[in-house]
Amino acid sequence: MNVFLNKWYKNHALVYKVLLFLLTTLFIVYLFPKTGKFRYSFEKSKPWQSENLYAPFNFAIKKSQKEIDSEKVEIRNQSPVYFELSEGIGDEVLINYSEIFNQVFTDSTPYNIEKPALYKKGKLLVIDLYKTGILDLDYNYDDDRSVILATSNKVEKELEYGRLHELSELRQLVENNLNTGLSADVKNKMVSIFFDVIKPNISLNKSLSKQALEEALSRISLTRGHIEKEQLIISKGQVVEEDQYVILSSLKSEYESQVWNSTNYNWVLLAYTLLVALALLMLLLFLRKYRFEVFLNNTKVTFIFFNVALMILLTTLVINYNSQYIYVVPLCILPLVLKAFFDARLGLFAHVLTVLLLGFIVPNSYEYMFLQIIAGMVTILTVSELYKRANLFISVGQITIIYIIAYFAFFVIHEGQLTGIKLETFGLFILCGLATLFVQPLIYIYEKIFGLVSDVSLLELSDTNTKLLKELSNKAPGTFHHSLNVANLAEAAANEIGANAMLIRVGALYHDIGKMNNPTYFTENQSTGINPHDELSNKESAKIIIDHVIKGIEIAKKHNLPDRVIDFIRSHHGTSMVYYFYMKEKAENEDVDINDFTYPGPKPFSKETAILMMCDSVEAASKSLKEPTSTKINDFVENIINKQMENKQFLNANITFKEIQSIKKVLKHKLANIYHLRIEYPE
């Protein structure tokens, strides 16, 4: 058990990477559409570029969406409408009619017409109205629309909607029926009686009507005809006309649905998994070979895999919603983010792999991959100094222009003309460019979540008006001035060998913040001529000097400085000795523990931290130069840096001897300028 735990502890970083690799692979495969890929590409009115195509199996020819929509409209216009017929209302209306009629007409011979005859005429009209029925509302159906009347006893009869009576027609019906020899007063009274007694007995049954419509729509056939196996579909070079296009689209749909059946689902799934795993493995191998410091950091590896998976997730969601909006996804955010935190080469490599993975699921995959890879290259080549807002806007504008130019070229190649070009697609590219601007707040979010540092944060930290640097300048002005000088030297050296100048400048500004606790114990802050070390033992003095590294780390963490900056505080003295107090103690006592006078380390482990150690030592020691000359400065720089090399302080840093020689040259030149050395002309 202990052996297993020891192995787990030693290899836990590698185990984590394997788990991350597997989970990312499975997640991406899960996002992929659960259909196969039709091996041929085709376009309407374009020649068929592949070999003669024969039907691989029997399949039905599917109707186009336009045909199906047209059939649906026709069915909606012809589907019968169900109405509820209430029984007994006609008899009730006749009784009410008789009562009200006798109340209104009391004379036996009113207005030159006999009362029984007038009554009978009205009664016949009531009976006629309720033979078909009276609607409760005007439903505005066509007169020839089929209507089915259903009673509570489920007795149904079918007739045309135009035969039903609407309440809005009641006055006209009464007047037309009673217009023979009646005075206007009699007509008005009869109309008034009818409005009082007539009640609608027909109402729309929405549930039955909807059910009937749905049943009719469900019977729509989605196919028209079929193709037999081995039947020739299209010949090589033949233009894809409307009929061939429909057949090819049907074959593509049928083929993709058949690929992922229960028989070979697992095999297709395995194939996708292998391809995705291969792409992600290439990314891991790239990190291991060319970005080993990133590969060793599990947080950074997780960050890279997370961004790749995020871009695939966003693209998949857009495709599932509407593939026409695929170019709205700001895929160029990926190389922008990776370049901001790492470098351009890693950003481009991850971007290309992501685009290759998306080629499995996007329509017109070649066109999409070409556009996105070119856009990624433009992003890498044009974006520099991302912390400058103008640079980002200029780069986004260039990316958008590249999208538009490439799409325009593809359209002309496909169509052979400009007519029919979709201006909406250009609008999508502009939206994509605007969405790319979200990279600035996204970088800030990533910094907080993953603890990474970008040039934007470094620029903020390099401001000498920050709270911590102001505190340093107030408590330890000499140290602050020393830090500024070291920052200038280190930045120049970094630019000379291609290191991260912004990072090293920030590291130099903060590397000695631990001296704020006891500023007077450091010579650069001793303005009164009194040295407090005179009252301490050599061991105590060495401890105070060494502790400024530990105190600096504590202060940095308290003020939430990034780990990359804290690395400079931790390693700027490496495992060197406090040589002055060590030699004093050795002169007094031969039995000296060298560990009491040695910094805890670690040694510098990058070009930037190695440069800071050189510049810090040279700048601090240069204060002791008396009557400096070019020769003295040359020997001075050589001695300090050569001694650090002899003590193997740069053993863990990926810095070459040639780069160290270049740094020496820069330091000599800078110190000569600081001390205003001039060429000595002969007298």
Side-chain angles (χ1 to χ4, degrees):
M1 186 66 181
N2 289 334
V3 174
F4 174 77
L5 291 175
N6 288 334
K7 286 185 177 180
W8 168 265
Y9 180 76
K10 290 180 180 179
N11 300 294
H12 71 278
L14 182 60
V15 172
Y16 175 83
K17 291 182 182 67
V18 171
L19 291 175
L20 177 67
F21 170 78
L22 293 175
L23 288 174
T24 308
T25 301
L26 294 176
F27 177 72
I28 293 174
V29 172
Y30 172 78
L31 292 176
F32 281 2
K34 303 302 182 287
T35 58
K37 293 281 290 183
F38 188 54
R39 60 181 295 191
Y40 302 103
S41 59
F42 56 91
E43 291 184 64
K44 192 185 295 184
S45 303
K46 295 293 179 182
W48 177 256
Q49 300 294 338
S50 305
E51 68 276 4
N52 294 353
L53 179 63
Y54 296 88
F57 43 74
N58 298 334
F59 66 94
I61 303 173
K62 295 187 176 182
K63 295 178 182 176
S64 67
Q65 190 60 44
K66 185 177 179 180
E67 291 177 298
I68 294 173
D69 292 341
S70 177
E71 287 188 30
K72 286 182 178 180
V73 171
E74 186 176 355
I75 287 175
R76 286 191 178 95
N77 292 334
Q78 295 181 355
S79 175
V81 184
Y82 280 81
F83 283 88
E84 191 84 26
L85 177 62
S86 300
E87 298 176 307
I89 291 182
D91 297 334
E92 180 183 339
V93 169
L94 280 174
I95 294 171
N96 292 338
Y97 166 74
S98 179
E99 292 177 357
I100 296 176
F101 181 86
N102 290 326
Q103 292 174 6
V104 173
F105 296 102
T106 56
D107 299 334
S108 58
T109 56
Y111 308 100
N112 302 321
I113 185 171
E114 293 184 355
K115 182 177 177 180
L118 183 59
Y119 172 80
K120 184 177 180 181
K121 202 161 195 173
K123 182 178 179 181
L124 291 174
L125 179 56
V126 171
I127 294 171
D128 185 60
L129 288 173
Y130 283 98
K131 274 184 180 179
T132 52
I134 300 174
L135 293 164
D136 58 343
L137 296 171
D138 296 346
Y139 292 99
N140 297 321
Y141 290 116
D142 295 334
D143 287 345
D144 58 351
R145 184 68 177 268
S146 178
V147 170
I148 297 176
L149 299 180
T151 65
S152 57
N153 296 324
K154 301 301 179 184
V155 177
E156 297 181 356
K157 64 176 180 178
E158 187 172 357
L159 67 161
E160 294 177 345
Y161 178 80
R163 295 181 58 191
L164 301 177
H165 302 293
E166 297 176 348
L167 287 172
S168 59
E169 303 171 353
L170 187 58
R171 174 178 288 276
Q172 190 65 37
L173 286 170
V174 173
E175 290 180 349
N176 290 343
N177 225 275
L178 304 174
N179 61 358
T180 54
L182 294 179
S183 65
D185 186 40
V186 172
K187 286 183 181 180
N188 289 335
K189 287 184 177 183
M190 288 298 291
V191 169
S192 176
I193 291 171
F194 271 85
F195 272 106
D196 287 340
V197 299
I198 293 298
K199 295 180 181 179
N201 66 333
I202 296 176
S203 58
L204 179 64
N205 191 321
K206 293 182 179 180
S207 61
L208 282 177
S209 300
K210 183 179 179 181
Q211 183 179 345
L213 177 60
E214 289 176 350
E215 288 178 0
L217 291 174
S218 66
R219 290 193 293 270
I220 294 178
S221 174
L222 301 179
T223 62
R224 53 175 178 85
H226 67 280
I227 300 294
E228 298 290 338
K229 184 178 180 180
E230 301 299 333
Q231 181 178 337
L232 177 64
I233 297 175
I234 192 167
S235 303
K236 184 175 182 179
Q238 184 179 349
V239 176
V240 181
E241 301 292 350
E242 177 66 29
D243 290 342
Q244 284 85 9
Y245 183 80
V246 173
I247 294 173
L248 288 170
S249 298
S250 301
L251 176 60
K252 179 180 179 181
S253 176
E254 188 71 22
Y255 180 85
E256 291 177 347
S257 65
Q258 287 192 10
V259 168
W260 287 71
N261 57 32
S262 57
T263 305
N264 54 11
Y265 177 89
N266 293 331
W267 285 107
V268 177
L269 192 65
L270 176 63
Y272 267 124
T273 304
L274 289 175
L275 291 174
V276 174
L278 186 62
L280 295 180
L281 182 62
M282 293 303 102
L283 182 55
L284 277 177
L285 292 177
F286 174 86
L287 293 176
R288 190 176 187 279
K289 186 172 180 61
Y290 298 106
R291 299 293 181 271
F292 193 65
E293 70 282 0
V294 177
F295 179 80
L296 292 177
N297 191 318
N298 282 342
T299 301
K300 292 179 180 179
V301 175
T302 303
F303 174 75
I304 295 169
F305 275 62
F306 171 79
N307 277 277
V308 171
L310 179 62
M311 289 296 108
I312 295 175
L313 172 62
L314 289 176
T315 307
T316 306
L317 292 176
V318 171
I319 290 174
N320 291 339
Y321 175 71
N322 191 336
S323 61
Q324 293 181 352
Y325 300 128
I326 189 171
Y327 288 111
V328 174
V329 180
L331 206 64
C332 288
I333 280 182
L334 179 61
L336 276 174
V337 167
L338 295 183
K339 184 179 180 181
F341 288 114
F342 305 109
D343 60 86
R345 191 175 177 186
L346 173 57
L348 182 60
F349 192 87
H351 176 73
V352 170
L353 284 180
T354 305
V355 172
L356 290 176
L357 290 174
L358 289 173
F360 290 123
I361 60 175
V362 297
N364 301 320
S365 56
Y366 175 78
E367 177 182 329
Y368 176 84
M369 289 191 293
F370 183 91
L371 280 173
Q372 295 294 3
I373 291 175
I374 291 295
M377 291 179 177
V378 171
T379 303
I380 293 297
L381 294 173
T382 59
V383 175
S384 59
E385 298 179 326
L386 190 60
Y387 55 86
K388 295 181 180 179
R389 289 172 295 179
N391 289 356
L392 180 60
F393 280 97
I394 293 170
S395 180
V396 167
Q398 292 171 333
I399 293 168
T400 306
I401 291 171
I402 291 298
Y403 272 130
I404 292 173
I405 292 173
Y407 173 77
F408 174 81
F410 269 111
F411 184 87
V412 173
I413 291 172
H414 287 217
E415 300 296 331
Q417 57 185 0
L418 294 179
T419 55
I421 194 167
K422 296 180 180 179
L423 298 179
E424 297 86 354
T425 307
F426 296 147
L428 297 180
F429 292 138
I430 294 172
L431 287 176
C432 178
L434 294 175
T436 306
L437 295 175
F438 183 69
V439 70
Q440 283 283 21
L442 188 63
I443 287 173
Y444 176 79
I445 294 169
Y446 280 153
E447 286 177 339
K448 299 304 178 184
I449 295 176
F450 292 94
L452 301 172
V453 184
S454 69
D455 285 350
V456 179
S457 292
L458 292 176
L459 181 65
E460 294 174 355
L461 290 171
S462 67
D463 184 2
T464 54
N465 289 316
T466 59
K467 182 180 177 181
L468 188 55
L469 290 180
K470 273 192 170 183
E471 187 179 352
L472 177 63
S473 66
N474 291 330
K475 291 183 177 181
T479 301
F480 178 72
H481 186 260
H482 159 73
S483 298
L484 286 175
N485 289 337
V486 173
N488 292 331
L489 291 174
E491 187 175 13
N495 287 326
E496 181 68 21
I497 67 169
N500 191 331
M502 178 68 72
L503 175 62
I504 198 171
R505 180 173 183 83
V506 174
L509 288 173
Y510 290 90
H511 79 284
D512 270 344
I513 55 173
K515 293 181 179 180
M516 285 193 297
N517 281 11
N518 297 297
T520 57
Y521 284 87
F522 300 91
T523 55
E524 67 265 23
N525 299 311
Q526 294 171 359
S527 58
T528 61
I530 300 173
N531 190 347
H533 288 288
D534 295 339
E535 301 176 3
L536 300 175
S537 67
N538 295 323
K539 189 174 180 180
E540 289 173 332
S541 295
K543 186 177 187 308
I544 291 174
I545 299 297
I546 291 171
D547 279 352
H548 88 273
V549 173
I550 307 300
K551 299 295 183 184
I553 295 172
E554 292 174 357
I555 294 171
K557 289 184 176 180
K558 181 180 177 182
H559 287 79
N560 296 318
L561 291 185
D563 287 339
R564 291 179 74 186
V565 177
I566 296 176
D567 287 340
F568 288 93
I569 302 173
R570 185 181 288 114
S571 64
H572 73 278
H573 284 294
T575 56
S576 61
M577 286 196 306
V578 184
Y579 194 72
Y580 175 78
F581 290 107
Y582 172 73
M583 295 307 294
K584 279 186 67 177
E585 181 68 19
K586 193 172 183 180
E588 298 172 3
N589 180 14
E590 285 293 330
D591 189 16
V592 180
D593 186 357
I594 195 173
N595 293 324
D596 294 335
F597 297 86
T598 304
Y599 285 96
K603 295 176 181 179
F605 44 82
S606 66
K607 287 182 182 180
E608 288 77 15
T609 52
I611 291 171
L612 179 63
M613 172 180 269
M614 298 181 212
C615 296
D616 181 43
S617 300
V618 167
E619 202 285 331
S622 69
K623 304 300 183 199
S624 63
L625 280 173
K626 296 178 181 179
E627 298 180 0
T629 63
S630 296
T631 304
K632 280 186 178 181
I633 288 175
N634 286 347
D635 295 340
F636 168 77
V637 172
E638 290 286 344
N639 289 336
I640 289 178
I641 296 180
N642 287 343
K643 188 175 180 180
Q644 290 173 338
M645 293 173 66
E646 289 171 7
N647 293 331
K648 300 180 180 180
Q649 294 299 320
F650 308 133
L651 196 62
N652 298 331
N654 59 336
I655 191 167
T656 64
F657 183 75
K658 181 180 179 181
E659 290 171 335
I660 293 175
Q661 293 302 111
S662 299
I663 294 167
K664 287 180 182 179
K665 183 179 177 181
V666 170
L667 293 177
K668 293 171 186 177
H669 178 70
K670 285 289 182 180
L671 287 177
N673 288 338
I674 291 172
Y675 289 104
H676 306 289
L677 296 182
R678 291 178 174 83
I679 298 173
E680 296 181 5
Y681 294 98
E683 294 182 357

